[in-house]
Amino acid sequence: MEHGVLIPPVYSPISPAIHPRHQLINQQTADWARNFRIGSPELREKLIGHDIGTFAARILPGGDEEVISLLADFVLWLFGVDDGHCEEGELGTDPKQLVPELSRLLRIAQNPEVSMLTEDSLAAGLRDLRRRMDQRATPGQVARWVDALREYFLSVVWEASHRNEGTVPGLNDYTLMRLYDGATSVVMPLLEMGYGYELQPHERDSTPVRAAAEMAYFVITWDNDLFSHHKESRGQQYYLNVLRVLEHHHGLAPEDALDTAVAQRDRVMCLFLRMCAGLNASGSPQLRQYLESLGSFIRAAQDWGISSHRYTTPEDPADLPTTFRDTPTDDSTEPLGIPAVAWWWDAVPDEPAPVLAQSAQPAEV
Ligand code: 3E9
Ligand code: MG
Ligand code: MG
Ligand code: MG
Ligand code: MG
Ligand code: MG
């Protein structure tokens, strides 16, 4: 393997779960990709082989089937953009051309009726996604989906400027970019839609809840950087992931970069658990569902990440772990030395008061 890096089992304290109709959902997403001709024929068939419907069925294991299908099609569409335009396409090395193209797509998401990109299959797919969003989402959820697409697009343009220059950002910039270029925030409205509720702004936009979501983005994308390292580093193409950042800027040997990245995600995972425990103690039922879904999203990305052909690359096997571990390699409660996210550690509510033992509580009357 490149650099001799062997990805170890990662710490996962969250239980796996999957929607029982995952096979059908996965098949429907294959049909959708073919109907809308997402990506080049080669890319499309590759994406269909990645079991993205299964991934979506793990993100919303108890969710509405139509929303899971919508999420699956949307994630496949995102890979159509991320692989097709950004990482393997010509636009990906040219931020000046990427900006107008992504801005046009954003207009389609926002106003699907506009007569723009009428011959473009990604635009047609996006129109269909927006139409289905309208059937299941509140106007506020649609608006947040569009806003999240914009922040994803902004971050991939930043990434494209590094690809264009062949440069590697430092850890703080990389972290900030990665919070959005992993396309995790665009999934958030669908977590609510999957269970048929709308989280109220006073909860969703509160500093601790936003921190919890960002922690989930961090764990999901650091895990992706581990599981996709083989796929990304084996070719000749420019690639960017946390192992490369740590090797490049911190002078770490590949093995040490790996240990460092694993310790970082373990510490954030531990912080996420403390944050959720604190928020669950006082949150609404909708907030508790939302936090549970953040956990499902983390676990889904892990189960799918170690098993999808996208990362195991059977034609050149990646030798990914097949299990998880139940203890962190690093459980320090100290903030990571990453200024953009160090505030997370200050956002955790105080420990809830200990619950009285059952026998000490007065009997119900
Ligand atoms: C992920 O980063 C890029 C996104 C556009 C993929 C779409 C996935 C989601 C919306 C859910 C988040 C899941 C993840 C990050 C697994 P990157 O490193 O380009 O993904 P890759 O698969 O190429 O490693
Ligand atoms: Mg990418
Ligand atoms: Mg990629
Ligand atoms: Mg990756
Ligand atoms: Mg490797
Ligand atoms: Mg090792």
Side-chain angles (χ1 to χ4, degrees), residues 234-249:
R234 73 202 176 106
Q236 295 305 309
Q237 300 195 58
Y238 173 89
Y239 73 97
L240 187 53
N241 66 34
V242 68
L243 298 183
R244 183 143 192 224
V245 169
L246 291 170
E247 288 172 33
H248 190 91
H249 286 282

mmCIF file of all heavy atoms in Angstrom, residues 234-249:
data_model
loop_
_atom_site.group_PDB
_atom_site.id
_atom_site.type_symbol
_atom_site.label_atom_id
_atom_site.label_comp_id
_atom_site.label_asym_id
_atom_site.label_seq_id
_atom_site.Cartn_x
_atom_site.Cartn_y
_atom_site.Cartn_z
ATOM 1 N N ARG A 234 -3.690 6.460 -4.539
ATOM 2 C CA ARG A 234 -3.061 5.454 -5.408
ATOM 3 C C ARG A 234 -2.863 5.959 -6.831
ATOM 4 O O ARG A 234 -2.024 5.465 -7.551
ATOM 5 C CB ARG A 234 -3.855 4.145 -5.391
ATOM 6 C CG ARG A 234 -5.148 4.186 -6.139
ATOM 7 C CD ARG A 234 -6.107 3.114 -5.664
ATOM 8 N NE ARG A 234 -7.382 3.258 -6.360
ATOM 9 C CZ ARG A 234 -7.803 2.462 -7.324
ATOM 10 N NH1 ARG A 234 -7.078 1.442 -7.723
ATOM 11 N NH2 ARG A 234 -8.958 2.668 -7.895
ATOM 12 N N GLY A 235 -3.655 6.970 -7.240
ATOM 13 C CA GLY A 235 -3.529 7.462 -8.608
ATOM 14 C C GLY A 235 -2.442 8.517 -8.726
ATOM 15 O O GLY A 235 -1.694 8.781 -7.788
ATOM 16 N N GLN A 236 -2.394 9.138 -9.887
ATOM 17 C CA GLN A 236 -1.402 10.191 -10.131
ATOM 18 C C GLN A 236 -1.986 11.561 -9.790
ATOM 19 O O GLN A 236 -1.273 12.560 -9.785
ATOM 20 C CB GLN A 236 -0.982 10.188 -11.614
ATOM 21 C CG GLN A 236 -0.252 8.929 -12.030
ATOM 22 C CD GLN A 236 0.963 8.638 -11.148
ATOM 23 O OE1 GLN A 236 1.794 9.507 -10.934
ATOM 24 N NE2 GLN A 236 1.031 7.430 -10.603
ATOM 25 N N GLN A 237 -3.312 11.600 -9.525
ATOM 26 C CA GLN A 237 -3.973 12.896 -9.399
ATOM 27 C C GLN A 237 -3.660 13.577 -8.083
ATOM 28 O O GLN A 237 -3.367 12.927 -7.086
ATOM 29 C CB GLN A 237 -5.484 12.688 -9.470
ATOM 30 C CG GLN A 237 -5.902 12.060 -10.769
ATOM 31 C CD GLN A 237 -7.391 12.212 -10.968
ATOM 32 O OE1 GLN A 237 -7.891 13.310 -10.972
ATOM 33 N NE2 GLN A 237 -8.076 11.114 -11.150
ATOM 34 N N TYR A 238 -3.796 14.886 -8.113
ATOM 35 C CA TYR A 238 -3.724 15.674 -6.887
ATOM 36 C C TYR A 238 -4.792 15.160 -5.926
ATOM 37 O O TYR A 238 -5.920 14.871 -6.319
ATOM 38 C CB TYR A 238 -4.019 17.140 -7.208
ATOM 39 C CG TYR A 238 -4.129 18.029 -5.985
ATOM 40 C CD1 TYR A 238 -3.010 18.659 -5.464
ATOM 41 C CD2 TYR A 238 -5.350 18.214 -5.354
ATOM 42 C CE1 TYR A 238 -3.108 19.474 -4.339
ATOM 43 C CE2 TYR A 238 -5.460 19.019 -4.226
ATOM 44 C CZ TYR A 238 -4.340 19.641 -3.726
ATOM 45 O OH TYR A 238 -4.444 20.434 -2.601
ATOM 46 N N TYR A 239 -4.461 15.040 -4.669
ATOM 47 C CA TYR A 239 -5.500 14.700 -3.690
ATOM 48 C C TYR A 239 -5.207 15.455 -2.406
ATOM 49 O O TYR A 239 -4.078 15.901 -2.156
ATOM 50 C CB TYR A 239 -5.577 13.181 -3.441
ATOM 51 C CG TYR A 239 -4.425 12.630 -2.635
ATOM 52 C CD1 TYR A 239 -4.531 12.436 -1.262
ATOM 53 C CD2 TYR A 239 -3.220 12.323 -3.257
ATOM 54 C CE1 TYR A 239 -3.459 11.947 -0.527
ATOM 55 C CE2 TYR A 239 -2.146 11.839 -2.524
ATOM 56 C CZ TYR A 239 -2.278 11.651 -1.161
ATOM 57 O OH TYR A 239 -1.214 11.175 -0.434
ATOM 58 N N LEU A 240 -6.253 15.581 -1.627
ATOM 59 C CA LEU A 240 -6.130 16.327 -0.387
ATOM 60 C C LEU A 240 -6.873 15.565 0.685
ATOM 61 O O LEU A 240 -8.070 15.309 0.550
ATOM 62 C CB LEU A 240 -6.762 17.718 -0.597
ATOM 63 C CG LEU A 240 -6.595 18.729 0.524
ATOM 64 C CD1 LEU A 240 -5.135 18.901 0.914
ATOM 65 C CD2 LEU A 240 -7.207 20.064 0.094
ATOM 66 N N ASN A 241 -6.177 15.132 1.710
ATOM 67 C CA ASN A 241 -6.860 14.616 2.895
ATOM 68 C C ASN A 241 -5.990 14.889 4.113
ATOM 69 O O ASN A 241 -4.867 15.404 3.991
ATOM 70 C CB ASN A 241 -7.266 13.136 2.738
ATOM 71 C CG ASN A 241 -6.096 12.200 2.649
ATOM 72 O OD1 ASN A 241 -5.062 12.418 3.272
ATOM 73 N ND2 ASN A 241 -6.255 11.148 1.863
ATOM 74 N N VAL A 242 -6.511 14.585 5.280
ATOM 75 C CA VAL A 242 -5.814 15.029 6.501
ATOM 76 C C VAL A 242 -4.444 14.364 6.646
ATOM 77 O O VAL A 242 -3.509 14.964 7.191
ATOM 78 C CB VAL A 242 -6.700 14.835 7.759
ATOM 79 C CG1 VAL A 242 -6.923 13.360 8.079
ATOM 80 C CG2 VAL A 242 -6.075 15.569 8.948
ATOM 81 N N LEU A 243 -4.302 13.158 6.135
ATOM 82 C CA LEU A 243 -2.987 12.511 6.258
ATOM 83 C C LEU A 243 -1.952 13.299 5.458
ATOM 84 O O LEU A 243 -0.823 13.529 5.914
ATOM 85 C CB LEU A 243 -3.061 11.060 5.768
ATOM 86 C CG LEU A 243 -4.027 10.164 6.560
ATOM 87 C CD1 LEU A 243 -3.978 8.727 6.035
ATOM 88 C CD2 LEU A 243 -3.702 10.187 8.056
ATOM 89 N N ARG A 244 -2.366 13.727 4.288
ATOM 90 C CA ARG A 244 -1.447 14.516 3.456
ATOM 91 C C ARG A 244 -1.109 15.850 4.140
ATOM 92 O O ARG A 244 0.043 16.294 4.124
ATOM 93 C CB ARG A 244 -2.104 14.756 2.085
ATOM 94 C CG ARG A 244 -1.203 15.494 1.154
ATOM 95 C CD ARG A 244 -1.303 15.032 -0.278
ATOM 96 N NE ARG A 244 -0.187 15.610 -1.018
ATOM 97 C CZ ARG A 244 -0.284 16.172 -2.224
ATOM 98 N NH1 ARG A 244 -1.453 16.193 -2.842
ATOM 99 N NH2 ARG A 244 0.773 16.670 -2.814
ATOM 100 N N VAL A 245 -2.099 16.486 4.741
ATOM 101 C CA VAL A 245 -1.883 17.768 5.440
ATOM 102 C C VAL A 245 -0.887 17.576 6.583
ATOM 103 O O VAL A 245 0.051 18.360 6.754
ATOM 104 C CB VAL A 245 -3.228 18.319 5.972
ATOM 105 C CG1 VAL A 245 -3.012 19.489 6.930
ATOM 106 C CG2 VAL A 245 -4.126 18.728 4.800
ATOM 107 N N LEU A 246 -1.085 16.531 7.366
ATOM 108 C CA LEU A 246 -0.213 16.310 8.532
ATOM 109 C C LEU A 246 1.203 15.944 8.112
ATOM 110 O O LEU A 246 2.182 16.365 8.735
ATOM 111 C CB LEU A 246 -0.808 15.219 9.435
ATOM 112 C CG LEU A 246 -2.105 15.621 10.157
ATOM 113 C CD1 LEU A 246 -2.754 14.406 10.816
ATOM 114 C CD2 LEU A 246 -1.835 16.709 11.200
ATOM 115 N N GLU A 247 1.329 15.172 7.054
ATOM 116 C CA GLU A 247 2.666 14.836 6.564
ATOM 117 C C GLU A 247 3.364 16.084 6.036
ATOM 118 O O GLU A 247 4.538 16.339 6.330
ATOM 119 C CB GLU A 247 2.582 13.786 5.437
ATOM 120 C CG GLU A 247 2.215 12.394 5.940
ATOM 121 C CD GLU A 247 1.950 11.425 4.783
ATOM 122 O OE1 GLU A 247 2.579 11.548 3.714
ATOM 123 O OE2 GLU A 247 1.100 10.531 4.963
ATOM 124 N N HIS A 248 2.597 16.869 5.280
ATOM 125 C CA HIS A 248 3.180 18.006 4.589
ATOM 126 C C HIS A 248 3.567 19.137 5.542
ATOM 127 O O HIS A 248 4.661 19.681 5.465
ATOM 128 C CB HIS A 248 2.174 18.518 3.556
ATOM 129 C CG HIS A 248 2.718 19.537 2.607
ATOM 130 N ND1 HIS A 248 3.280 19.188 1.404
ATOM 131 C CD2 HIS A 248 2.807 20.880 2.689
ATOM 132 C CE1 HIS A 248 3.679 20.279 0.776
ATOM 133 N NE2 HIS A 248 3.403 21.326 1.543
ATOM 134 N N HIS A 249 2.660 19.489 6.432
ATOM 135 C CA HIS A 249 2.892 20.684 7.260
ATOM 136 C C HIS A 249 3.488 20.382 8.619
ATOM 137 O O HIS A 249 4.010 21.268 9.283
ATOM 138 C CB HIS A 249 1.593 21.464 7.459
ATOM 139 C CG HIS A 249 1.194 22.211 6.221
ATOM 140 N ND1 HIS A 249 1.790 23.388 5.855
ATOM 141 C CD2 HIS A 249 0.290 21.923 5.257
ATOM 142 C CE1 HIS A 249 1.250 23.812 4.724
ATOM 143 N NE2 HIS A 249 0.345 22.931 4.337
#
